């Protein structure tokens, strides 16, 4: 059993007699006699299942003035005018199926906005219900995740060992190296020994030592040094020090 639900109620609306549409440019509220509405009363928008009906009723008694069944929106049953957001053209029907087009107006733009939103929400819900029913009747296409003939799959897995290190699930032939890199080709490189130190020091003779300072005969080394020191003075001492440096 379907219950009737009220979508929106507006306590005051205005109904106008409208002239026939002159062209395909749409209805214009400026062509109506807006100062003298034909009828003033209450409007209720109700839904019963997927059906939607706009009802015009008396303010006091609630007596029905006209019904406007709406099967889609926007559509022929209710259409906005081209020159105002507060006015619509509705198609009313009686019990015998006869229909007529009347002008519907609101005193405030917020009322016409509420009617727009209520109609859009209702037919959006109807569309969702139709989609749900369609999915129930039509069989769903099952997703085939099986392998086709000739298809293969390759998986790389990383396995954590007990010591916390990670290893590949692949195992190669041969003995494991335990994580140590193999030596380069050709074996271990040989390190050359360091160069040997000089075998002996070479004494270079000072240019200050001249034949004039040599003693004749078989004099000793002490005599030569004494003569050299007495002859050269301090300069001889400096030259003697230079004669004793060693080159390695």
């Amino acid at each position: 059993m379907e219950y009737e639900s009220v979508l929106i109620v507006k306590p005051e609306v205005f109904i106008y007699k409208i002239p026939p549409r002159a062209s395909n440019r749409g209805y214009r509220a400026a062509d109506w006699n807006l100062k003298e509405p034909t009828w003033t009363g209450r409007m209720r928008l109700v839904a019963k299942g997927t059906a939607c009906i706009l009802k015009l009723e008396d303010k006091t008694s609630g007596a029905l003035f006209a019904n406007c069944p709406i099967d889609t929106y926007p559509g022929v049953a209710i259409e906005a005018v081209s020159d105002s957001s507060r006015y619509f053209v509705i198609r009313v029907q009686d019990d015998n199926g006869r229909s007529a087009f009347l002008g519907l107006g609101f005193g405030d733009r917020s009322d016409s906005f509420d009617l727009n939103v209520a109609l859009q929400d209702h037919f959006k819900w109807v569309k969702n219900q139709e989609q749900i029913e369609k999915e129930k009747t039509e069989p769903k296409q099952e997703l085939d995740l099986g392998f086709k003939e000739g298809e293969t799959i390759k998986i790389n897995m990383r396995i954590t060992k007990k010591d916390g290190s990670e290893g590949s699930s692949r195992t190669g032939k041969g003995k494991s190296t335990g994580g140590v890199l193999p030596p380069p080709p050709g074996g271990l490189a040989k390190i050359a020994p360091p160069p040997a130190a000089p075998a002996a020091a070479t004494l270079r003779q000072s240019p200050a030592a001249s034949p004039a300072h040599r003693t004749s005969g078989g004099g000793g080394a002490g005599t030569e040094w004494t003569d050299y020191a007495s002859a050269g003075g301090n300069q001889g001492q400096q030259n003697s020090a230079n004669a004793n440096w060693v080159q390695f």
Side-chain angles (χ1 to χ4, degrees), residues 40 53 68 88 91 101 108 116 123 145 194 200 233:
T40 303
I53 303 173
C68 174
F88 300 84
R91 184 185 62 185
F101 289 93
D108 190 71
N116 266 312
F123 286 102
L145 298 178

Side-chain angles (χ1 to χ4, degrees), residues 32-44:
W32 310 343
N33 188 5
L34 299 179
K35 294 182 179 180
E36 296 181 2
T38 303
W39 182 85
T40 303
R42 179 179 66 188
M43 184 207 75
R44 285 198 310 140

Side-chain angles (χ1 to χ4, degrees), residues 17-116:
K17 287 183 179 180
I18 61 176
R21 181 185 295 188
S23 63
N24 293 330
R25 64 186 176 92
Y27 292 100
R28 296 179 70 250
D31 298 334
W32 310 343
N33 188 5
L34 299 179
K35 294 182 179 180
E36 296 181 2
T38 303
W39 182 85
T40 303
R42 179 179 66 188
M43 184 207 75
R44 285 198 310 140
L45 184 68
V46 298
K48 191 174 183 179
T50 58
C52 181
I53 303 173
L54 188 148
K55 294 186 175 184
L56 301 174
E57 301 171 341
D58 185 79
K59 290 182 180 180
T60 306
S61 63
L64 182 64
F65 174 75
N67 270 333
C68 174
I70 303 173
D71 51 0
T72 183
Y73 180 76
V76 179
I78 180 168
E79 178 183 354
V81 298
S82 60
D83 59 343
S84 177
S85 62
R86 295 190 293 122
Y87 297 94
F88 300 84
V89 175
I90 60 174
R91 184 185 62 185
V92 297
Q93 291 181 347
D94 60 10
D95 297 337
N96 298 324
R98 293 178 299 180
S99 62
F101 289 93
L102 299 175
L104 171 69
F106 296 91
D108 190 71
R109 285 186 174 83
S110 62
D111 293 336
S112 61
F113 176 80
D114 294 342
L115 177 61
N116 266 312

Side-chain angles (χ1 to χ4, degrees), residues 134-163:
K134 184 178 179 181
E135 291 177 356
K136 288 181 180 179
T137 56
E138 293 183 357
K140 293 184 179 179
Q141 185 178 1
E142 296 183 359
L143 185 62
D144 185 12
L145 298 178
F147 287 101
K148 305 295 187 296
E149 185 177 356
E151 286 185 344
T152 58
I153 187 171
K154 183 179 179 181
I155 300 176
N156 250 341
M157 298 179 61
R158 300 186 70 84
I159 303 174
T160 304
K161 300 179 181 179
K162 291 183 178 180
D163 58 357

